[in-house]
Amino acid sequence: MQNIKQKSPLMNTYARFPISVAKADGSYLTADDGTDYLDFTSGIAVCNLGHRPKVVQKAVENQLQEYWHVSNLFQQDIQERAATSLIKGTHLDQVFFCGSGAEANEAAIKLARKYWFDKGALQKSEIVTFEQSFHGRTGGAMAATGQNKIKHGFAPLMPGFTHLPFNDTQAITNINPQVTAAVMLELIQGEGGVVPADQEWVNELVHYCRTHGILIIADEIQTGAGRTGSLYAFEQFNVKPEIVTAAKGIGSGFPAGACLASAEVAASFSPGTHGTTFGGHPAACAAIEATMGVIQEEGFLKEVQDRFAIFRKQLELLASSYSQVKQVRGSGAMIGIVVEEAAPYLQKLRNRQILALPAGPQVIRILPPLTASDEALSTFVQLFEEILQEGEISHD
């Protein structure tokens, strides 16, 4: 195995696993020493169809035979088809393509402000977000994020953001409708601990926004592309956002982000107002069209819901049987297991060739491929129970 501690030309911005990847396929990742790992990180909710799904690989290979890059100055049918696949079956009308989730959120912030500018309401520029949210690491997306640890050392931050407590109905009245352009939220906070929004709170928030003329931006970077059991999480919360951001799982590992919007709001992005060199890359769009095509096949999401409902019940049974597990939360294939301290459990799972992620210091984040087999899910439950049977884990 490669000595990953040796001096590297890469900047030291990631606390990497002590694993050097040789290949990946389906729900499994193989290290260069031949060890196979059950990968329940899915590239951080990116490989929703598993690693290297054949239908996506074929679509990308076909596109690479046509052309790789011509720029967004040209009409490209593959972009039209990919955009259609993202908004199919939703209330949304148009798509701006970019290269990542942070870029998608930057576009959403700009679009919301431009919408009110075009209406002559220049004072409506504030974006309300929520504590423990995560919207990205670029300037605007970082300022929107409700976690101080993400912002530490990067002052001065971009102004124009207000952060309110998540799931706090009382705090909604602190939103100033005179200056607020949009409310931006994750319906299930991912990096913040896999914390779902309360339906009652969402209802109150939507009512307040509709009453006072405030746009709603749903950050679906991690929750979209079927991750929570529906195409987008907003479908489960009875809300129709004017703007939705997507990335991660939409391209099965090809760098892709998208800002989706209603026709009325999207009209504020006219030629010259926003742009990107690599957004809407033909290969990425081919991956998007193929990925979303699978997810939207009849019965696919129903099967995901059914399979992961069983998985969730098995985990909840462990929670009722072992005091180390405080709570199981999330939706679909986005699950958080709350324990006293996540890091020791993640290490023990890795020792058993299972990869999972933290979501804050106390949450084990489980992000299996949507296509994970019953056997793979059962393997996780069995081995996690073995860890729990060992008793309380030392935190030294």
Side-chain angles (χ1 to χ4, degrees):
M1 180 181 295
Q2 173 187 338
N3 180 8
I4 63 171
K5 291 185 178 180
Q6 68 187 14
K7 187 174 181 180
S8 170
L10 299 174
M11 291 188 185
N12 188 30
T13 52
Y14 304 101
R16 290 185 170 91
F17 293 139
I19 298 169
S20 181
V21 179
K23 63 179 295 185
D25 187 60
S27 297
Y28 290 86
L29 179 153
T30 303
D32 62 3
D33 65 359
T35 304
D36 290 326
Y37 293 87
L38 182 58
D39 184 8
F40 277 15
T41 74
S42 296
I44 316 182
V46 167
C47 303
N48 285 10
L49 301 182
H51 292 286
R52 299 190 303 117
K54 297 298 185 288
V55 64
V56 178
Q57 181 175 331
K58 182 178 179 181
V60 172
E61 289 174 348
N62 288 343
Q63 179 57 47
L64 292 177
Q65 295 299 318
E66 301 299 327
Y67 61 91
W68 292 13
H69 176 82
V70 295
S71 89
N72 286 308
L73 297 177
F74 294 88
Q75 295 282 345
Q76 299 177 62
D77 184 60
I78 187 61
Q79 289 187 343
E80 301 284 339
R81 300 200 311 267
T84 298
S85 74
L86 288 171
I87 60 177
K88 181 181 177 181
T90 76
H91 64 288
L92 302 158
D93 301 300
Q94 291 185 298
V95 176
F96 172 83
F97 281 120
C98 51
S100 70
E103 291 176 72
N105 283 336
E106 292 278 354
I109 292 164
K110 288 181 65 174
L111 181 58
R113 288 173 171 164
K114 183 63 162 50
Y115 173 79
W116 290 112
F117 178 89
D118 290 348
K119 285 185 167 294
L122 277 63
Q123 76 282 4
K124 290 177 73 71
S125 62
E126 194 80 8
I127 307 293
V128 171
T129 67
F130 299 93
E131 294 172 2
Q132 294 305 116
S133 62
F134 181 80
H135 298 294
R137 297 180 184 272
T138 51
M142 179 176 62
T145 293
Q147 299 185 48
N148 289 333
K149 67 179 183 180
I150 302 298
K151 306 174 188 180
H152 182 70
F154 298 107
L157 299 175
M158 182 184 294
F161 296 90
T162 298
H163 305 93
L164 296 179
F166 190 63
N167 279 335
D168 186 334
T169 302
Q170 189 74 23
I172 292 174
T173 58
N174 293 328
I175 300 173
N176 183 347
Q178 300 303 313
V179 300
T180 302
V183 165
M184 185 177 191
L185 78 157
E186 302 161 282
L187 289 156
I188 301 176
Q189 291 187 334
E191 296 288 335
V194 194
V195 181
D198 292 335
Q199 184 64 62
E200 182 179 348
W201 176 75
V202 172
N203 293 344
E204 290 292 332
L205 181 63
V206 170
H207 177 72
Y208 189 90
C209 290
R210 297 296 177 245
T211 300
H212 296 284
I214 298 169
L215 300 179
I216 297 174
I217 303 171
D219 179 339
E220 298 263 9
I221 305 302
Q222 189 166 155
T223 54
R227 171 56 55 182
T228 65
S230 56
L231 191 62
Y232 299 103
F234 69 75
E235 299 171 33
Q236 302 175 36
F237 288 86
N238 193 31
V239 54
K240 291 185 176 180
E242 285 82 9
I243 304 173
V244 173
T245 55
K248 286 189 179 290
I250 65 174
S252 289
F254 280 81
C259 178
L260 291 55
S262 66
E264 179 185 358
V265 174
S268 287
F269 266 3
S270 56
T273 55
H274 196 47
T276 171
T277 296
F278 292 113
H281 189 280
C285 284
I288 291 170
E289 182 187 27
T291 300
M292 299 302 287
V294 172
I295 293 170
Q296 293 174 327
E297 285 178 358
E298 185 176 356
F300 180 87
L301 287 173
K302 178 62 165 60
E303 184 179 343
V304 170
Q305 293 165 11
D306 292 345
R307 187 185 317 114
F308 282 95
I310 294 171
F311 181 57
R312 173 73 173 267
K313 287 179 180 177
Q314 292 172 329
L315 294 177
E316 289 173 343
L317 181 59
L318 294 183
S320 67
S321 303
Y322 297 91
S323 61
Q324 302 100 302
V325 180
K326 312 303 179 186
Q327 186 183 10
V328 178
R329 61 195 185 204
S331 180
M334 182 178 179
I335 298 172
I337 303 173
V338 183
V339 292
E340 186 70 25
E341 184 180 350
Y345 289 92
L346 293 170
Q347 179 62 56
K348 289 210 173 238
L349 284 167
R350 194 159 66 238
N351 292 344
R352 288 167 167 79
Q353 285 77 58
I354 295 181
L355 302 177
L357 295 167
Q362 296 179 306
V363 180
I364 302 166
R365 184 169 28 158
I366 310 300
L367 300 168
L370 307 183
T371 53
S373 66
D374 293 338
E375 180 184 2
L377 297 174
S378 295
T379 296
F380 177 90
V381 173
Q382 176 188 339
L383 295 182
F384 186 56
E385 183 170 19
E386 286 183 10
I387 294 171
L388 295 173
Q389 287 172 345
E390 295 174 358
E392 293 290 344
I393 292 179
S394 171
H395 308 305
D396 295 338

